Amino acid sequence: MTKTTGCLFIISAPSGAGKTSLVRTLLQSDLDLSLSISHTTRPPRSEEVNGRDYHFVSEETFRQMLAGGEFLENAEVYGNLYGTSQKWINEAMASGQDIMLEIDCQGAKQVHQIFPQSIGIFILPPSADALATRLKTRAQDNAEVIRERLAAAREEVSHISEFDYVIINNKLEDALSDLVCIIKAERLKKERQLAKHHSLITELSVPASR
Protein backbone atom coordinates (compact mmCIF):
# COMPACT_ATOMS: atom_id res chain seq x y z
CA MET A 1 0.00 0.00 0.00
CA THR A 2 1.13 3.53 -0.77
CA LYS A 3 1.35 5.83 2.25
CA THR A 4 -1.20 8.63 1.95
CA THR A 5 -1.28 12.01 3.61
CA GLY A 6 -3.57 12.08 6.63
CA CYS A 7 -6.97 13.78 6.65
CA LEU A 8 -7.27 17.12 8.40
CA PHE A 9 -10.63 17.59 10.11
CA ILE A 10 -11.49 21.08 11.38
CA ILE A 11 -14.16 21.27 14.09
CA SER A 12 -15.69 24.67 14.85
CA ALA A 13 -18.69 25.82 16.85
CA PRO A 14 -20.02 28.69 18.94
CA SER A 15 -18.89 28.56 22.56
CA GLY A 16 -21.37 26.39 24.47
CA ALA A 17 -22.41 24.22 21.53
CA GLY A 18 -20.75 21.18 23.12
CA LYS A 19 -17.82 20.92 20.72
CA THR A 20 -15.21 20.03 23.34
CA SER A 21 -17.32 17.27 24.92
CA LEU A 22 -18.05 15.86 21.47
CA VAL A 23 -14.38 15.82 20.46
CA ARG A 24 -13.26 14.26 23.75
CA THR A 25 -15.82 11.48 23.37
CA LEU A 26 -14.77 10.89 19.77
CA LEU A 27 -11.11 10.56 20.75
CA GLN A 28 -12.03 7.72 23.10
CA SER A 29 -13.29 5.69 20.13
CA ASP A 30 -11.18 3.36 17.98
CA LEU A 31 -11.05 5.69 14.97
CA ASP A 32 -7.31 6.39 15.39
CA LEU A 33 -7.48 10.18 15.37
CA SER A 34 -4.98 12.61 16.85
CA LEU A 35 -6.06 15.92 18.34
CA SER A 36 -3.88 18.93 17.63
CA ILE A 37 -3.17 20.63 20.96
CA SER A 38 -3.26 24.40 20.59
CA HIS A 39 -1.03 26.86 22.41
CA THR A 40 -2.87 29.53 24.39
CA THR A 41 -2.25 32.39 26.78
CA ARG A 42 -5.59 31.69 28.48
CA PRO A 43 -5.31 30.52 32.10
CA PRO A 44 -6.22 26.83 32.52
CA ARG A 45 -9.64 25.97 33.94
CA SER A 46 -9.88 23.71 36.98
CA GLU A 47 -10.30 20.48 35.02
CA GLU A 48 -7.79 21.26 32.27
CA VAL A 49 -4.34 19.68 32.04
CA ASN A 50 -1.34 21.29 30.35
CA GLY A 51 -0.35 19.30 27.28
CA ARG A 52 -3.69 17.47 27.12
CA ASP A 53 -6.20 20.27 26.67
CA TYR A 54 -3.84 23.09 25.67
CA HIS A 55 -0.21 24.07 25.83
CA PHE A 56 -0.55 26.94 28.31
CA VAL A 57 2.14 29.57 27.70
CA SER A 58 2.81 33.17 28.65
CA GLU A 59 1.96 35.97 26.23
CA GLU A 60 5.67 36.66 25.81
CA THR A 61 6.38 33.05 24.82
CA PHE A 62 3.41 33.00 22.46
CA ARG A 63 4.51 36.17 20.69
CA GLN A 64 8.05 34.80 20.34
CA MET A 65 6.65 31.66 18.69
CA LEU A 66 4.44 33.79 16.46
CA ALA A 67 7.39 35.93 15.37
CA GLY A 68 9.32 32.73 14.62
CA GLY A 69 6.62 31.54 12.22
CA GLU A 70 5.77 28.49 14.34
CA PHE A 71 1.98 28.74 14.01
CA LEU A 72 -0.16 27.37 11.20
CA GLU A 73 -2.94 29.66 12.38
CA ASN A 74 -3.46 32.02 15.27
CA ALA A 75 -6.27 34.11 16.66
CA GLU A 76 -7.22 36.34 19.54
CA VAL A 77 -10.43 35.28 21.28
CA TYR A 78 -11.85 37.19 24.25
CA GLY A 79 -8.45 38.77 24.85
CA ASN A 80 -6.57 35.45 24.83
CA LEU A 81 -4.18 34.24 22.12
CA TYR A 82 -4.45 30.81 20.46
CA GLY A 83 -2.21 29.12 17.89
CA THR A 84 -1.65 25.76 16.16
CA SER A 85 1.84 24.31 15.68
CA GLN A 86 2.71 24.23 11.96
CA LYS A 87 5.55 21.70 12.44
CA TRP A 88 3.40 19.20 14.35
CA ILE A 89 0.58 19.33 11.79
CA ASN A 90 2.95 18.88 8.84
CA GLU A 91 4.78 15.93 10.42
CA ALA A 92 1.61 14.17 11.59
CA MET A 93 -0.13 14.46 8.24
CA ALA A 94 2.98 13.38 6.33
CA SER A 95 3.08 10.22 8.44
CA GLY A 96 -0.48 9.40 7.33
CA GLN A 97 -2.09 10.30 10.67
CA ASP A 98 -5.59 11.76 10.58
CA ILE A 99 -5.70 15.00 12.58
CA MET A 100 -8.53 16.85 14.28
CA LEU A 101 -8.30 20.60 14.85
CA GLU A 102 -10.70 22.14 17.36
CA ILE A 103 -10.56 25.85 16.50
CA ASP A 104 -12.77 28.88 15.86
CA CYS A 105 -13.94 30.09 12.44
CA GLN A 106 -11.14 32.64 12.19
CA GLY A 107 -8.51 29.91 12.58
CA ALA A 108 -10.43 27.49 10.38
CA LYS A 109 -10.32 29.95 7.49
CA GLN A 110 -6.55 30.37 7.86
CA VAL A 111 -5.99 26.60 7.90
CA HIS A 112 -8.22 26.00 4.88
CA GLN A 113 -6.22 28.51 2.85
CA ILE A 114 -3.06 26.46 3.48
CA PHE A 115 -4.75 23.03 3.37
CA PRO A 116 -7.67 23.39 0.91
CA GLN A 117 -8.26 19.63 1.18
CA SER A 118 -9.13 19.98 4.89
CA ILE A 119 -12.64 18.96 5.95
CA GLY A 120 -14.63 21.57 7.85
CA ILE A 121 -17.31 20.46 10.32
CA PHE A 122 -19.51 23.00 12.11
CA ILE A 123 -21.35 22.11 15.33
CA LEU A 124 -24.62 23.90 16.16
CA PRO A 125 -26.65 23.88 19.38
CA PRO A 126 -30.32 22.83 18.97
CA SER A 127 -31.57 26.38 19.70
CA ALA A 128 -30.52 29.84 20.87
CA ASP A 129 -32.18 29.17 24.24
CA ALA A 130 -30.25 25.93 24.65
CA LEU A 131 -26.99 27.75 23.90
CA ALA A 132 -27.72 30.44 26.49
CA THR A 133 -28.64 27.81 29.08
CA ARG A 134 -25.46 25.82 28.48
CA LEU A 135 -23.31 28.92 28.88
CA LYS A 136 -25.04 29.90 32.12
CA THR A 137 -24.95 26.43 33.68
CA ARG A 138 -21.22 25.96 32.99
CA ALA A 139 -20.57 28.49 35.80
CA GLN A 140 -17.17 29.26 34.29
CA ASP A 141 -17.85 32.83 33.16
CA ASN A 142 -19.52 35.92 34.56
CA ALA A 143 -22.65 37.50 33.09
CA GLU A 144 -20.71 39.98 30.93
CA VAL A 145 -18.57 37.24 29.37
CA ILE A 146 -21.70 35.17 28.70
CA ARG A 147 -23.25 38.12 26.85
CA GLU A 148 -20.07 38.47 24.82
CA ARG A 149 -20.10 34.77 23.97
CA LEU A 150 -23.74 34.90 22.85
CA ALA A 151 -22.94 37.86 20.59
CA ALA A 152 -19.86 36.04 19.26
CA ALA A 153 -22.01 32.96 18.54
CA ARG A 154 -24.01 34.94 16.00
CA GLU A 155 -20.78 35.96 14.27
CA GLU A 156 -19.52 32.36 14.26
CA VAL A 157 -22.76 31.03 12.75
CA SER A 158 -22.53 33.60 9.94
CA HIS A 159 -19.50 31.60 8.64
CA ILE A 160 -21.37 28.29 8.46
CA SER A 161 -21.38 28.28 4.63
CA GLU A 162 -17.57 27.98 4.69
CA PHE A 163 -17.80 24.46 6.14
CA ASP A 164 -18.44 21.11 4.46
CA TYR A 165 -20.67 19.53 7.11
CA VAL A 166 -23.07 20.74 9.80
CA ILE A 167 -24.05 18.75 12.90
CA ILE A 168 -26.82 19.71 15.34
CA ASN A 169 -25.67 18.76 18.84
CA ASN A 170 -28.95 18.10 20.62
CA LYS A 171 -28.04 14.71 22.07
CA LEU A 172 -24.35 13.90 22.42
CA GLU A 173 -24.73 10.30 21.23
CA ASP A 174 -26.55 11.36 18.05
CA ALA A 175 -24.05 14.11 17.27
CA LEU A 176 -21.20 11.66 17.87
CA SER A 177 -22.76 9.17 15.46
CA ASP A 178 -23.01 11.88 12.80
CA LEU A 179 -19.39 12.88 13.34
CA VAL A 180 -18.17 9.27 13.06
CA CYS A 181 -20.10 8.88 9.79
CA ILE A 182 -18.39 11.96 8.33
CA ILE A 183 -14.91 10.71 9.26
CA LYS A 184 -15.53 7.24 7.82
CA ALA A 185 -17.03 8.65 4.61
CA GLU A 186 -14.05 10.97 4.06
CA ARG A 187 -11.63 8.09 4.53
CA LEU A 188 -13.50 6.05 1.92
CA LYS A 189 -13.45 8.68 -0.81
CA LYS A 190 -12.23 7.44 -4.16
CA GLU A 191 -9.03 9.52 -4.30
CA ARG A 192 -7.85 8.32 -0.88
CA GLN A 193 -8.72 4.68 -1.54
CA LEU A 194 -6.98 4.70 -4.94
CA ALA A 195 -3.79 6.01 -3.34
CA LYS A 196 -3.95 3.83 -0.24
CA HIS A 197 -4.72 0.59 -2.08
CA HIS A 198 -2.80 1.25 -5.28
CA SER A 199 -1.07 -2.15 -5.29
CA LEU A 200 -4.31 -4.05 -4.75
CA ILE A 201 -6.13 -2.15 -7.48
CA THR A 202 -3.24 -2.66 -9.89
CA GLU A 203 -3.18 -6.38 -9.13
CA LEU A 204 -6.91 -6.72 -9.69
CA SER A 205 -6.78 -4.68 -12.90
CA VAL A 206 -4.05 -6.70 -14.65
CA PRO A 207 -5.35 -9.70 -16.65
CA ALA A 208 -4.24 -13.03 -15.19
CA SER A 209 -1.49 -14.75 -17.15
CA ARG A 210 -2.36 -18.08 -18.74
Side-chain angles (χ1 to χ4, degrees):
M1 295 188 296
T2 302
K3 180 178 285 188
T4 57
T5 301
C7 292
L8 180 58
F9 297 98
I10 301 174
I11 312 291
S12 293
S15 180
K19 166 172 56 71
T20 299
S21 296
L22 186 57
V23 169
R24 284 181 180 174
T25 305
L26 177 69
L27 292 172
Q28 295 171 2
S29 69
D30 59 355
L31 285 178
D32 191 23
L33 287 162
S34 293
L35 178 67
S36 173
I37 309 300
S38 297
H39 290 72
T40 183
T41 60
R42 174 175 70 71
R45 292 169 178 155
S46 58
E47 76 283 1
E48 291 178 327
V49 176
N50 186 42
R52 184 195 70 184
D53 300 287
Y54 288 97
H55 296 296
F56 295 100
V57 297
S58 67
E59 183 172 341
E60 180 183 3
T61 297
F62 188 98
R63 293 196 181 281
Q64 287 175 349
M65 296 176 68
L66 181 61
E70 295 187 36
F71 293 131
L72 170 64
E73 60 81 28
N74 68 93
E76 181 174 346
V77 183
Y78 306 116
N80 300 305
L81 302 174
Y82 295 82
T84 300
S85 169
Q86 172 103 41
K87 180 181 179 182
W88 187 87
I89 292 290
N90 288 342
E91 291 178 350
M93 290 184 65
S95 72
Q97 180 64 49
D98 289 341
I99 307 301
M100 182 161 290
L101 272 177
E102 184 187 343
I103 53 179
D104 69 350
C105 291
Q106 182 181 347
K109 188 171 185 177
Q110 294 177 47
V111 173
H112 191 67
Q113 289 173 342
I114 299 172
F115 294 102
Q117 75 276 23
S118 60
I119 302 106
I121 305 169
F122 198 86
I123 311 298
L124 283 176
S127 69
D129 287 343
L131 179 62
T133 299
R134 289 177 184 179
L135 288 173
K136 291 173 182 176
T137 55
R138 289 196 316 183
Q140 294 174 338
D141 302 309
N142 59 41
E144 178 59 29
V145 172
I146 290 174
R147 283 193 292 271
E148 291 177 0
R149 290 186 183 276
L150 287 172
R154 291 190 287 273
E155 167 62 20
E156 290 276 312
V157 174
S158 71
H159 294 278
I160 198 168
S161 63
E162 300 169 9
F163 290 78
D164 303 293
Y165 299 93
V166 177
I167 294 175
I168 310 300
N169 186 15
N170 188 11
K171 293 183 178 179
L172 180 64
E173 58 269 26
D174 293 339
L176 178 63
S177 177
D178 289 341
L179 187 52
V180 169
C181 286
I182 291 170
I183 291 167
K184 289 184 175 181
E186 287 293 331
R187 287 175 169 175
L188 291 172
K189 280 191 170 179
K190 176 184 67 179
E191 293 78 10
R192 300 192 64 79
Q193 291 290 77
L194 288 176
K196 184 177 181 180
H197 300 289
H198 176 75
S199 297
L200 171 63
I201 294 167
T202 300
E203 177 186 351
L204 294 173
S205 300
V206 176
S209 57
R210 294 184 178 181

